[in-house]
Amino acid sequence: MIARPATLLALVCFGLALLAAPAGAVSRSSVERQFQSWLADDLYPEASRRGISAATFRNAFQGISLDWNLAGLVPPGTAPPKHRRQTQAEFRSPGAYFSQRRLATLAARGRSEAKRWSQTIARIEARYGVPGRFLLAIWGRETAFGAVSIPNSAIRVLATKAFMSTRKDLFRGELLDALRIVQRGEATPSMMKGSAAGAMGQPQFMPSSYLKYAVDFDGNGHADIWTSVPDTLASIANFLNENGWQSGRDWGFEVRIPAGVSCAQEGPDRARSLAQWKGEGIRRVAGRTFDPTQLGRSAMMLVPAGTEGPEFLVTGNFYVIKKYNNSDLYALFIGNLADRIAYGSGNFVGDWGDVGHMLRSDVATMQRALQAKGYDVGGADGLPGFKTRRSIGEWQAKGGLNPTCFPSPELSRRLR
């Protein structure tokens, strides 16, 4: 049952006491009581206005308490943690993301699942126009084809983060969407298992994504992304299709970029036709050729480790995959795994270089220095996305250096 404070005065005094207390003095029992009050007096009125019944709300939060094990929590009466310089070497070569053992294991399982669900995948491909190997790759990457245990209550995780986290508004919206799912009868609160970030089921959809993209493909009347493989695969396909998947196009190709062609040409805003890239001397690796029917289509340069790693030309479908998870490395992992599932091989030809001993805070310092010089690095977050990489390359070229398009300790010292 959701508790309420006896009087408004009691609530005011309780809140003032929490705000006045040092962080370590805030008791969990006090915060739990405030959480129950928040559910009743703050969240429920808004949920009711959005069509959530009292019975649904009560059922969703029956026995729910805060999950104190989650990251990024800011209990009432405490302040968000201040930014601290990182003391651990978190920044590593992108190659560390691509465990060959893991990719090989997922690919082998993916080929097995492709045979098992071949008829279902064929029907999904026909409806949504997305090749099955990409659906399998995302399914495998997210939850190891449904084998990963997902023990968290999505309602509890979202409620905790909506009440006391650094992104309360975001999670409040997701929590209200989770209640809409329950209200529609798509799933019970106990069924709605998710990650520690609130992403649900085998495709790891946030509730808002579930409402937009989840589909009932097995015909039982519910879009069940927790136990139904057909619903899971079709929902992933629907997501990609709705976000602009181009039927008949691949995700991209590993290439060789010749000396003299700048690596600072990355990004979807610097797309050129495959024929133009080919005219610059860019070739596919291992003697492969570009499909002549695709030479007029646009492609984008991708150098996730600058000149110190494999180089790629990618299509618009690469950026559709990024909408699933906004990371160049994630999309590259999915594309590579999809190739391994479909073709039985996919090792990168280019070697991943070593970035040396750098902290993410070192990279962020480089980004701020480049911003001060007028470069658009996409934000000083310590993660070198394509805007940071090409800014480094442009700065190097302007200074008479050979562009490498990737952070390094030497470049960090030069930028100080």
Side-chain angles (χ1 to χ4, degrees):
M1 193 171 175
I2 300 171
R4 295 175 181 270
T7 65
L8 177 60
L9 178 61
L11 177 59
V12 171
C13 293
F14 172 69
L16 290 175
L18 283 175
L19 291 173
V26 176
S27 72
R28 290 191 177 188
S29 60
S30 295
V31 176
E32 290 283 1
R33 288 194 296 272
Q34 190 173 2
F35 171 62
Q36 295 296 326
S37 178
W38 173 80
L39 288 175
D41 298 332
D42 187 342
L43 187 67
Y44 175 67
E46 182 175 1
S48 181
R49 290 193 297 271
R50 297 193 181 199
I52 307 301
S53 70
T56 294
F57 194 89
R58 184 170 55 251
N59 184 34
F61 292 106
Q62 186 69 38
I64 289 287
S65 61
L66 293 167
D67 186 343
W68 293 86
N69 294 317
L70 300 175
L73 300 184
V74 186
T78 67
K82 293 182 179 179
H83 174 74
R84 296 178 180 176
R85 178 176 173 83
Q86 294 162 342
T87 57
Q88 70 276 30
E90 289 190 350
F91 181 69
R92 299 180 295 168
S93 165
Y97 193 87
F98 301 95
S99 164
Q100 295 302 308
R101 181 177 180 180
R102 185 184 184 198
L103 280 162
T105 300
L106 288 174
R109 175 70 183 275
R111 288 190 288 272
S112 175
E113 296 293 342
K115 292 179 181 178
R116 180 182 179 187
W117 298 100
S118 60
Q119 293 183 354
T120 297
I121 290 172
R123 291 192 296 115
I124 293 173
E125 289 177 333
R127 179 175 300 184
Y128 297 103
V130 182
R133 67 182 189 275
F134 294 101
L135 314 180
L136 291 162
I138 290 175
W139 184 30
R141 176 66 176 81
E142 294 296 336
T143 55
F145 308 99
V148 169
S149 175
I150 307 176
N152 299 302
S153 160
I155 296 289
R156 187 186 186 203
V157 167
L158 295 169
T160 299
K161 287 183 171 285
F163 175 67
M164 56 173 195
S165 77
T166 55
R167 297 186 293 168
K168 292 192 290 187
D169 290 344
L170 169 68
F171 287 105
R172 183 187 183 99
E174 294 294 345
L175 177 59
L176 290 166
D177 282 341
L179 294 175
R180 286 179 60 195
I181 294 169
V182 177
Q183 180 70 35
R184 284 172 24 172
E186 295 287 354
T188 64
S190 62
M191 285 175 57
M192 295 173 64
K193 299 298 184 181
S195 71
M200 304 186 304
Q202 296 187 47
Q204 288 291 275
F205 277 1
M206 295 299 287
S208 58
S209 292
Y210 177 97
L211 291 172
K212 289 179 183 176
Y213 307 115
V215 295
D216 169 27
F217 202 76
D218 61 15
N220 71 350
H222 300 285
D224 178 6
I225 61 172
W226 294 272
T227 64
S228 171
V229 172
D231 289 4
T232 293
L233 294 175
S235 296
I236 295 171
N238 189 40
F239 179 100
L240 297 175
N241 176 269
E242 289 293 321
N243 278 283
W245 188 269
Q246 299 173 16
S247 182
R249 297 214 73 190
D250 211 323
W251 67 271
F253 326 91
E254 187 178 354
V255 299
R256 293 289 192 192
I257 300 176
V261 177
S262 174
C263 55
Q265 301 183 74
E266 277 197 270
D269 55 335
R270 298 185 180 181
R272 304 173 70 182
S273 71
L274 272 176
Q276 288 174 306
W277 291 121
K278 186 178 178 181
E280 292 284 330
I282 293 176
R283 298 290 185 268
R284 292 189 67 178
V285 297
R288 301 183 184 96
T289 59
F290 295 117
D291 182 345
T293 67
Q294 298 290 312
L295 289 177
R297 308 288 293 272
S298 67
M300 286 68 72
M301 182 184 289
L302 176 75
V303 285
T307 58
E308 299 300 318
E311 302 159 332
F312 305 89
L313 291 179
V314 298
T315 73
N317 286 339
F318 178 88
Y319 291 95
V320 174
I321 297 171
K322 279 190 67 174
K323 292 180 181 179
Y324 208 97
N325 183 321
N326 190 25
S327 162
D328 287 339
L329 298 186
Y330 176 88
L332 186 55
F333 188 103
I334 296 302
N336 183 257
L337 178 56
D339 287 350
R340 290 169 184 259
I341 290 172
Y343 310 126
S345 63
N347 289 343
F348 297 120
V349 174
D351 293 326
W352 298 96
D354 185 3
V355 300
H357 185 83
M358 293 189 74
L359 311 178
R360 276 186 57 180
S361 52
D362 295 330
V363 179
T365 298
M366 290 184 66
Q367 290 170 322
R368 287 190 288 270
L370 287 165
Q371 284 178 324
K373 294 178 183 295
Y375 292 95
D376 177 11
V377 299
D381 57 4
L383 299 173
F386 75 86
K387 289 186 176 181
T388 294
R389 296 192 297 264
R390 74 187 188 189
S391 293
I392 290 172
E394 289 170 346
W395 169 77
Q396 288 174 306
K398 186 175 181 180
L401 301 173
N402 183 40
T404 62
C405 299
F406 207 65
S408 71
E410 179 187 355
L411 293 177
S412 180
R413 288 189 292 270
R414 284 177 175 266
L415 274 165
R416 286 176 188 166

